Amino acid sequence: MWGRRTGHRTPRHLTPAVEGLDTRKLLSAGRVGANLGPYLSPGNMVPRVSSPAVIVDPHHSINTFLAAQIGSGVDTVEQQVAAKGSSKNAQVADVILSNPFIHSVFSRQDTYTLLGSVATTALRATPTPTSAQADSVTYQVPSEATYTIAPGAAMATVQVLPVGSTRGFVLMVPISNIRTFAPADSGKAEVQVPSSLLPADVLRPPTPAVSNGPLTQTYSSAGAVILSAFRSAVPRSGPNAPRSIPGLRLAGAFATNGNFRVANPGGLLNSFRVAVDRNVFALSGTQTNKLNIGLMQFESTVASMSTTGAFTPAVPPAAPKLPKGPLNGTVTVSLGTLRELTNVAATQTGLQIPNLGNFPGRIDVGYVVDRQGNFGISLTVRGPLSGAPKGVASSDVVAGDLQVELSNARNLSDLTGTRNIEGLNQGAGLSGALSASSYNNGTSTFATSAGYGSGFEFGTGTAYTQVIPLGNVYALIPESPKS
């Protein structure tokens, strides 16, 4: 070593001891012994998924899910809308479904898998597939090029194309197992493949859960009412959409405010993929207790608000301030049903919700995820929209749909509470709805939904949301993230 002042070498007997180097550090730094190789450090990166996201046709996927959850009748409406071409009258739904982010959400099989999982928890449902569903799997094939039927043959050769890294396959099925669609979708078909014929290493589409819990009747009864309204409805021309009218102005706001211009939508939708891959909605006992407590709180709060007339104020609530720019805080995907009727018995004007009774308005049940991967179950009810001039809106409104809602919430707890909401619903067989809301804590939301229904309404109202946090999809243990 060199002396600090003289630059001369210090005698060895005066050299200070090696300082600060732990023996274990010397072992790892030096070339002592055999190399042990790398190791895994859990929790340092986003969990890998075992398979790529499955891309589906949103038109058929929405139809299939709604038919399973909303109940008998809605499938007939779907067929008649397609046969009559009446979907061209649903301008709101058309604008919604053409939005790139909304299209991306509804094009993911993960969306429907997660909603099906929520149906088995928040709706207290159980997967109860029919014997046909249990013995076969339904695949969508894009064109006649993927199946071949020889003249006079009883069997058809079917090719199921590969998706991502999953393998495709070719097999023979009875001709009766092939279902074709209306002329507008003549290039597509569904094929029911017996489970016994499927190769072991191919992707199997999940079977939609069928609800059989307390909220089942609330949803499943909607199908028959939607069908009855569709058959008895008379087409009417909707009004213009001036920017000064609450509700009607949402059509222009959706197109110009950029609320759905989501930064990095692939990253946000990746949380859906991780949630499905990790099966986060297969709830543990602790999570089930949280859910049950949350449901009771939700029912109690809504019942109290209903008693005080909070959902049916004498004066329409003030319209919320519409948010500007992207809403990048949370995304909520939910199954909703709407029922506000006047030409029925007084006890049947609204939704039949257990422990709440007759509730004119809308209910949504779904899942919510924020940018950090925190997830939970979201329940929302809102009262009727008011403020529209007489004769402009319908006296009877009914719908069943899937909704996507974005917010600027900083965390999931910001979404629990009462909010002023304005909305626009257009039901022309195919239905579309837009809504915006604001909380007292400054959180803003904008939501879009598409499904089936009849009637036209717009204006303002009151909504209440209860979010039940259940964990973090990226955590080492999803139900027990680090606080």
Side-chain angles (χ1 to χ4, degrees):
M1 296 181 64
W2 294 94
R4 181 176 301 175
R5 295 180 180 177
T6 64
H8 297 290
R9 182 179 295 274
T10 305
R12 181 177 297 275
H13 69 278
L14 297 179
T15 301
V18 176
E19 54 183 84
L21 290 179
D22 186 276
T23 304
R24 289 166 293 182
K25 292 184 178 180
L26 286 173
L27 285 174
S28 63
R31 297 182 178 276
V32 180
N35 190 336
L36 297 180
Y39 62 92
L40 298 177
S41 181
N44 288 339
M45 62 183 300
V46 175
R48 297 181 180 89
V49 293
S50 59
S51 62
V54 177
I55 305 302
V56 298
D57 184 332
H59 174 70
H60 296 302
S61 297
I62 291 174
N63 290 353
T64 300
F65 192 86
L66 288 178
Q69 300 295 339
I70 300 298
S72 177
V74 72
D75 51 347
T76 303
V77 176
E78 295 168 0
Q79 296 167 6
Q80 294 188 13
V81 167
K84 297 179 180 179
S86 57
S87 60
K88 64 178 179 292
N89 298 321
Q91 296 183 28
V92 175
D94 184 60
V95 171
I96 291 169
L97 293 173
S98 63
N99 178 272
F101 179 74
I102 300 299
H103 189 271
S104 295
V105 172
F106 287 148
S107 296
R108 296 285 187 114
Q109 180 58 52
D110 297 333
T111 296
Y112 308 98
T113 301
L114 292 174
L115 280 176
S117 297
V118 170
T120 67
T121 52
L123 303 185
R124 299 195 186 103
T126 56
T128 55
T130 64
S131 58
Q133 290 173 323
D135 296 336
S136 66
V137 176
T138 300
Y139 286 91
Q140 291 181 7
V141 291
S143 68
E144 292 183 3
T146 60
Y147 64 92
T148 305
I149 302 177
M155 303 290 286
T157 302
V158 175
Q159 178 185 11
V160 177
L161 300 177
V163 177
S165 62
T166 61
R167 298 179 179 179
F169 57 93
V170 178
L171 78 171
M172 300 285 289
V173 300
I175 293 176
S176 59
N177 286 26
I178 298 177
R179 302 288 187 271
T180 56
F181 295 104
D185 295 314
S186 58
K188 303 171 184 176
E190 286 183 349
V191 179
Q192 292 180 342
V193 179
S195 298
S196 59
L197 299 181
L198 286 176
D201 60 345
V202 301
L203 183 70
R204 300 187 180 213
T207 300
V210 179
S211 304
N212 63 354
L215 279 175
T216 298
Q217 187 63 24
T218 305
Y219 281 94
S220 62
S221 62
V225 180
I226 292 171
L227 176 59
S228 179
F230 179 74
R231 286 176 169 171
S232 62
V234 177
R236 296 179 56 185
S237 297
N240 294 328
R243 298 181 180 179
S244 58
I245 305 299
L248 295 180
R249 64 177 181 162
L250 294 179
F254 179 62
T256 60
N257 282 12
N259 303 142
F260 280 74
R261 193 173 65 250
V262 179
N264 188 21
L268 186 59
L269 294 181
N270 184 63
S271 64
F272 293 8
R273 179 88 286 267
V274 176
V276 169
D277 199 65
R278 306 189 78 184
N279 199 20
V280 299
F281 282 105
L283 305 187
S284 66
T286 300
Q287 289 173 311
T288 300
N289 289 337
K290 290 181 180 179
L291 174 62
N292 290 335
I293 293 173
L295 286 170
M296 288 188 292
Q297 291 175 340
F298 177 74
E299 293 174 352
S300 176
T301 301
V302 173
S304 177
M305 293 177 65
S306 296
T307 301
T308 61
F311 294 108
T312 54
V315 178
K321 182 179 179 181
L322 296 180
K324 299 287 186 179
L327 296 172
N328 296 327
T330 65
V331 58
T332 304
V333 182
S334 60
L335 171 66
T337 182
L338 167 67
R339 181 167 166 173
E340 300 166 13
L341 308 176
T342 57
N343 297 310
V344 296
T347 58
Q348 299 296 314
T349 58
L351 302 168
Q352 308 304 304
I353 302 179
N355 301 321
L356 296 177
N358 185 56
F359 184 87
R362 178 184 175 98
I363 185 170
D364 276 275
V365 178
Y367 61 93
V368 56
V369 182
D370 70 11
R371 281 287 179 180
Q372 290 71 46
N374 300 305
F375 71 94
I377 289 175
S378 174
L379 305 99
T380 298
V381 294
R382 75 146 174 86
L385 300 178
S386 58
K390 290 185 178 180
V392 178
S394 304
S395 58
D396 295 306
V397 184
V398 61
D401 55 34
L402 299 183
Q403 177 175 269
V404 179
E405 182 177 70
L406 299 183
S407 84
N408 60 358
R410 296 163 299 178
N411 50 62
L412 297 187
S413 62
D414 284 348
L415 296 176
T416 293
T418 304
R419 46 177 163 153
N420 284 352
I421 192 168
E422 70 172 293
L424 166 66
N425 296 295
Q426 181 194 39
L430 186 66
S431 71
L434 299 167
S435 65
S437 72
S438 62
Y439 293 77
N440 290 334
N441 60 15
T443 298
S444 295
T445 73
F446 204 107
T448 66
S449 59
Y452 292 90
S454 297
F456 184 79
E457 71 165 349
F458 63 93
T460 60
T462 301
Y464 175 77
T465 296
Q466 174 86 36
V467 172
I468 305 169
L470 295 175
N472 187 290
V473 298
Y474 300 128
L476 186 62
I477 302 177
E479 70 168 296
S480 302
K482 183 178 180 180
S483 58

